[in-house]
Amino acid sequence: MPAKPPFVHAGMRLPFALLVTCFAAWGIAANMTDPLVQVFSRIFSMSTLQASFVQFAYYGAYFLLALPAAFINRRFSYKTGILTGLGCAIAGAFLFYPAAQAMTFGFFLLALFLLAGGLSILETSANPFVIAMGPEGNATRRLNLAQAFNPVGTNIGVFLAATLILPQLNPATDADRAAMPAATLEAIQRAELTAVMTPYVGFAVVLLAIWVAIALLRIPTDRESIAPDAAGVQFGPTLRRLLSNRHYVFGVVAQFFNVAAQTCAWTFTIPYVIATLGGTEAQAGWYLQASLIVFLVARFVMVGAMGVIRPAALLTVMAVAGTALCLFAATGPGLAGVWAVVALSACLSLMFPTIYGIALQGLGQDTKFGAAGLVMAILGGALVPLIHGAVMDAQGAALAYVVPGLCFVVVAAFGLFDLRSTRKAAARP
């Protein structure tokens, strides 16, 4: 009987464990940020579309910084990329303090951009590094396990927002705020923005501790493909090979719409609950917390299921279920609609790492740049929420859930494509 392949290579267990903390870290940041659309809409009396520029700045940074991260990883190492990303994220999180003092929406967008840019570099480095830490045969399952700790972070992020930010919002409406004396309004806004700033500065301190731990750890690079010098980073030929790989290209498209669906589902949960059931942002925030608990439990369930079921098959079934739940939420608002929105997290739980693992399989030395393309696909989280917000402003919170429903259709198509086609590995030079 052949020996069972190791889950991670020798000498990689401690690096893998430390890397897991990074997966949790960007989960904290992403889901602490999701409620900020509603928060800034209230604080600065903006429309949902205007406030949605929070996600545009956040996921736009992911798009712009992923490719530079690939160059760092290809020229140096995954560890260098991870430390660079953590450093940028630390700077962005600390920038929330002067942003709160300046009390301008643009300053907060700048802080979010730098924070997310760092996390983009971190994620572009960490995901393929996990894949490289063990045999290719169980790479997708290993990445799903590492990503299973991401919802641990997302739950922490939503909890921090629900306890430290949302309860501090003054219940005054836009009309009430417009009628207030300038000094009174400024005092209210300063208190609210201080509440926004506090968890981000604390997050920066946590990231700094992770940076020090990883910097002090010796991580072998013998299994990485590292260019001997800048000239060895051949972007043109790599891009041509990637674009000729149908699995990879379709994977990038599917990731774009997966992240779009996830961002829409979580960003607009609070407005959906308020429009459907009434109440305050703090009360509605607990439904978002429930969504992330579902996400956490489902992620571990999916890791176990992948031991007996092909990942692409699970991906297809969950994407079809996500489409159905979105359509139900759009057409049948009420408590049942709210729980349908919460249940979307179960469908989303396996999608990012599964699409990632399927798309990168067999890329060899092109993996580092391939990983950048999949992280750049996170641009879906910047663009599609603007569409969701515009539909919501025009047609209401319920009908807007048609937008993520259409995104799930694309993910389902990718799953079916992988099930029905024969993989063609990228050509080797």
Side-chain angles (χ1 to χ4, degrees):
M1 183 176 180
K4 185 177 181 180
F7 196 68
V8 295
H9 294 306
M12 286 294 187
R13 290 183 179 178
L14 183 55
F16 179 79
L18 268 178
L19 217 54
V20 162
T21 65
C22 295
F23 283 80
W26 70 66
I28 293 174
N31 289 85
M32 195 160 57
T33 301
D34 283 337
L36 291 188
V37 172
Q38 182 70 17
V39 169
F40 286 129
S41 177
R42 173 64 62 91
I43 294 174
F44 295 111
S45 299
M46 296 185 295
S47 69
T48 304
L49 175 59
Q50 290 173 317
S52 293
F53 274 90
V54 165
Q55 300 294 27
F56 185 80
Y58 193 91
Y59 290 102
Y62 259 85
F63 174 79
L64 292 174
L65 273 296
L67 192 56
F71 279 96
I72 294 172
N73 293 330
R74 183 75 176 90
R75 174 64 182 87
F76 300 101
S77 67
Y78 286 128
K79 178 180 177 179
T80 302
I82 288 166
L83 292 176
T84 302
L86 282 170
C88 291
I90 290 166
F94 274 128
L95 202 60
F96 269 72
Y97 178 79
Q101 303 306 307
M103 297 180 62
T104 60
F105 183 54
F107 206 150
F108 277 100
L109 291 183
L110 175 62
L112 278 169
F113 184 89
L114 184 56
L115 168 64
L119 295 177
S120 173
I121 298 172
L122 176 62
E123 193 161 351
T124 304
S125 307
N127 281 302
F129 194 16
V130 166
I131 290 175
M133 282 182 166
E136 187 176 42
N138 57 20
T140 297
R141 193 177 183 208
R142 182 169 55 255
L143 183 58
N144 266 276
L145 177 60
Q147 284 275 1
F149 290 88
N150 175 261
V152 174
T154 62
N155 275 278
I156 294 172
V158 172
F159 178 77
L160 291 174
T163 56
L164 299 181
I165 298 177
L166 296 177
Q168 306 306 316
L169 292 181
N170 191 289
T173 65
D174 291 350
D176 294 334
R177 291 173 185 246
M180 287 178 182
T184 302
L185 178 59
E186 180 180 342
I188 289 174
Q189 290 177 323
R190 187 172 297 279
E192 291 171 327
L193 293 175
T194 298
V196 171
M197 172 270 296
T198 301
Y200 281 92
V201 172
F203 179 61
V205 175
V206 173
L207 290 182
L208 184 59
I210 296 174
W211 189 97
V212 172
I214 292 176
L216 295 176
L217 183 66
R218 182 180 177 84
I219 300 178
T221 61
D222 56 306
R223 296 182 184 274
E224 295 186 45
S225 176
I226 298 174
D229 51 45
V233 182
Q234 299 178 335
F235 178 65
T238 299
L239 180 61
R240 286 192 292 272
R241 288 193 296 271
L242 290 173
L243 292 177
S244 69
N245 187 308
R246 293 186 303 157
H247 265 85
Y248 175 74
V249 173
F250 201 170
V252 171
V253 173
Q255 199 70 288
F256 177 95
F257 285 102
N258 163 53
V259 177
Q262 177 176 299
T263 307
C264 289
W266 291 345
T267 299
F268 299 104
T269 293
I270 291 176
Y272 183 92
V273 173
I274 292 175
T276 301
L277 303 180
T280 66
E281 285 87 351
Q283 292 168 333
W286 291 110
Y287 284 96
L288 182 57
Q289 183 76 70
S291 296
L292 274 299
I293 293 173
V294 169
F295 188 79
L296 169 62
V297 174
R299 178 64 67 80
F300 282 100
V301 171
M302 295 299 170
V303 171
M306 283 182 188
V308 293
I309 303 174
R310 183 171 169 179
L314 278 175
L315 178 69
T316 304
V317 170
M318 290 296 105
V320 171
T323 301
L325 288 169
C326 284
L327 293 178
F328 181 82
T331 57
L335 185 58
V338 169
W339 286 112
V341 170
V342 171
L344 285 173
S345 291
C347 302
L348 290 164
S349 63
L350 83 162
M351 289 187 179
F352 187 93
T354 303
I355 295 170
Y356 204 102
I358 292 173
L360 287 185
Q361 187 177 338
L363 292 188
Q365 70 172 22
D366 295 337
T367 298
K368 291 182 176 181
F369 279 104
L374 286 161
V375 173
M376 290 172 75
I378 288 176
L379 183 66
L383 300 180
V384 179
L386 297 178
I387 300 173
H388 190 130
V391 174
M392 179 177 161
D393 286 337
Q395 301 294 332
L399 191 59
Y401 266 83
V402 169
V403 175
L406 294 174
C407 296
F408 281 118
V409 171
V410 179
V411 177
F414 174 67
L416 285 173
F417 171 78
D418 185 69
L419 289 171
R420 293 181 174 182
S421 61
T422 301
R423 177 174 298 277
K424 179 182 177 182
R428 300 292 184 267

